[in-house]
Amino acid sequence: MKAIVIGGGIGGMSSAIALEKAGIEVEVFEAVQEMKPVGAAISIWPNGVKCLNALGMKEQLRALGGNMAYMAYHDGATGAPLTRFSMAPLVQQVGEYPCPVARAELQAMLIDTFGRERVQFGKRVIQVEETAEGVIATFTDNSQARGDFLIAADGTHSVVREYVLEQKLERRYAGYVNWNGLVTIDERIAPADQWTTFVGDGKRVSLMPVSGNRFYFFFDVPLPKGLPQDRSTVKADLTGYFQGWAEPVQQLIAAINPETTNRVEIHDIEPFSHFVKGRVALLGDAAHSTTPDIGQGGCAAMEDAVVLAATLASHSLGIEDALLRYQARRVERVKDLVLKARKRCEVTHAHDPAITAAWYQSLKSETGERVLAGMCETIEGGPLG
Ligand code: FAD
């Protein structure tokens, strides 16, 4: 049995590794010549970590992860702590650590685990078709690939999604812009072993430790879509948006490198329930694009990969049937994640300022129990418990 995997991102590479482990021959085709991930880092929550562990990357992943022993919220304007608590109860309950990692390093680990020389870069798919024998993918250079089935992990702008759904879906702007990057840890800004977030006015500034003495940082600001993007004004823009915020936020803005700071307008896609057409299946952001508000988009792609390989490995009613079983096991789970993230996004980014003000207020009495219970529920809903 041979799979064609379209896309060499988190979803594509996780699936390629998982399918190969299940004894399926795999070819991976990636549009770009060189991978340049859109974000600087990513928090892999224990549900995602368990998937990568199962795919044989436990030790490598652990080495890339930062130590997120505590979690804290601060008032953005004054810098005063609102709450701080240990992440140990979460680790204790779910049996694995959260793992914030630099994206480029995660991407390299996945590609190297599969075999860098085996990923076919510069292959942008423009068409897929099914024949009596299987599937054919056609690329912009007019070359073709043939396989028994095709996994489309071609991201949020997926072209294969249109083939599967027989319609084009519009992405939904979530109402805020996110700037993210990496910066050397400076304990005047935040403790090195803590996920620290400053909140106020529907904005947030967050720092998460990753390996190599670095913080993954991000700034969120509710803004209209389509404002000009210019690297030369990143610091001035952030200084303006966070005028009057506490000293650590000003120090962070001073420390960032505009050349390596990404600016992303955050979108999601209304959840849908058809991931499969015949022998073609959508996976990762192609199937479920989410806002990053609960940090689960990439983790969900890892979950997809593990479930996909398991259903194909144990199928006896044919490939189409196995793919439909993959779909059945994933649709409700990922819909739940997308909608949870959307709800979190609305509260965090002041879609209703009164609700957001009440959330800020509630953080003052947060002991960690409520926050961690929500996280544990999300994590334990994954395929590996
Ligand atoms: P992608 O990563 O988009 O990869 C798709 C790949 O397909 C790309 O390499 C692309 O070049 C290739 N491709 C596209 N079109 C074609 C084509 N026609 N032919 C061939 N190849 C093609 N998730 C988390 O789990 N935790 C987080 O903390 C987190 N933080 C985030 C922060 C931000 C700001 C954003 C924007 C997202 C975040 N996410 C997070 C979500 C996560 O980044 C995505 O869910 C994840 O990257 C999806 O992986 P994917 O492989 O499906 O898609």
Side-chain angles (χ1 to χ4, degrees):
M1 201 183 348
K2 181 182 158 194
I4 299 174
V5 173
I6 304 298
I10 295 171
M13 294 320 303
S14 299
S15 327
I17 296 163
L19 291 170
E20 203 162 65
K21 266 189 164 304
I24 296 166
E25 189 190 338
V26 183
E27 274 196 298
V28 180
F29 298 91
E30 164 55 50
V32 301
Q33 291 289 357
E34 195 190 339
M35 298 300 282
K36 286 189 186 137
V38 288
I42 172 172
S43 55
I44 309 179
W45 291 99
N47 52 315
V49 175
K50 287 177 191 177
C51 293
L52 296 185
N53 290 348
L55 297 182
M57 288 168 274
K58 183 173 182 164
E59 302 308 326
Q60 292 138 279
L61 183 63
R62 188 64 68 78
L64 300 181
N67 173 22
M68 200 158 65
Y70 297 91
M71 183 170 170
Y73 281 96
H74 291 251
D75 179 283
T78 64
L82 298 170
T83 181
R84 178 175 190 265
F85 48 86
S86 166
M87 298 289 270
L90 176 140
V91 177
Q92 186 63 37
Q93 178 161 339
V94 304
E96 187 46 275
Y97 293 90
C99 192
V101 297
R103 254 181 211 262
E105 290 159 19
L106 169 67
Q107 193 63 49
M109 178 188 80
L110 292 169
I111 289 181
D112 290 338
T113 298
F114 179 72
R116 186 169 293 272
E117 64 296 338
R118 295 169 55 214
V119 177
Q120 303 187 47
F121 292 99
K123 292 281 186 185
R124 181 174 294 277
V125 78
I126 44 172
Q127 196 189 330
V128 299
E129 60 193 292
E130 273 194 72
T131 65
E133 291 81 43
V135 285
I136 304 177
T138 305
F139 304 97
T140 43
D141 60 5
N142 284 325
S143 62
Q144 291 188 320
R146 286 161 201 273
D148 295 303
F149 65 100
L150 182 144
I151 302 305
D154 54 342
T156 185
H157 300 285
S158 169
V159 293
V160 185
R161 185 167 59 226
E162 204 173 328
Y163 167 81
V164 170
L165 298 181
E166 296 173 10
Q167 61 169 311
K168 195 168 165 52
L169 292 186
E170 291 303 321
R171 300 198 313 150
R172 190 195 67 105
Y173 180 50
Y176 75 97
V177 174
N178 168 285
W179 287 260
N180 64 72
L182 295 168
V183 68
T184 303
I185 286 181
D186 177 347
E187 296 230 49
R188 288 171 305 170
I189 300 175
D193 59 353
Q194 178 172 292
W195 177 17
T196 306
T197 304
F198 296 84
V199 291
D201 303 330
K203 304 174 192 175
R204 64 177 173 162
V205 180
S206 209
L207 298 118
M208 247 183 207
V210 300
S211 68
N213 196 37
R214 295 165 298 173
F215 277 135
Y216 164 43
F217 68 81
F218 61 85
F219 298 83
D220 286 354
V221 182
L223 285 171
K225 188 176 153 91
L227 293 178
Q229 302 198 35
D230 183 351
R231 283 201 186 282
S232 68
T233 65
V234 166
K235 283 202 184 199
D237 292 345
L238 291 175
T239 302
Y241 295 135
F242 293 96
Q243 199 173 20
W245 279 50
E247 195 47 31
V249 174
Q250 307 307 331
Q251 285 171 337
L252 176 61
I253 295 171
I256 68 171
N257 177 359
E259 290 308 314
T260 52
T261 300
N262 309 291
R263 180 189 188 277
V264 194
E265 292 180 334
I266 299 298
H267 290 77
D268 67 10
I269 293 180
E270 195 60 38
F272 54 93
S273 44
H274 285 98
F275 297 175
V276 173
K277 181 173 165 183
R279 289 170 171 241
V280 176
L282 304 174
L283 184 143
D285 278 13
H288 42 81
S289 288
T290 174
T291 66
D293 292 80
I294 58 170
Q296 282 287 349
C299 298
M302 296 165 195
E303 291 184 1
D304 289 348
V306 166
V307 172
L308 174 76
T311 47
L312 280 157
S314 60
H315 84 287
S316 47
L317 302 180
I319 292 173
E320 285 97 333
D321 177 76
L323 293 181
L324 286 173
R325 285 173 201 278
Y326 151 75
Q327 172 182 281
R329 285 183 62 190
R330 296 305 294 154
V331 164
E332 286 306 317
R333 165 69 172 163
V334 295
K335 178 178 173 190
D336 180 54
L337 294 177
V338 172
L339 296 182
K340 258 188 192 152
R342 187 181 287 183
K343 197 166 164 199
R344 195 70 249 137
C345 163
E346 290 173 0
V347 173
T348 306
H349 301 102
H351 286 217
D352 179 340
I355 292 177
T356 304
W359 174 54
Y360 295 157
Q361 194 59 33
S362 75
L363 287 174
K364 292 182 184 165
S365 59
E366 176 65 60
T367 58
E369 229 170 282
R370 274 175 302 176
V371 170
L372 296 183
M375 288 175 163
C376 287
E377 191 197 333
T378 299
I379 291 162
E380 290 177 330
L384 302 181

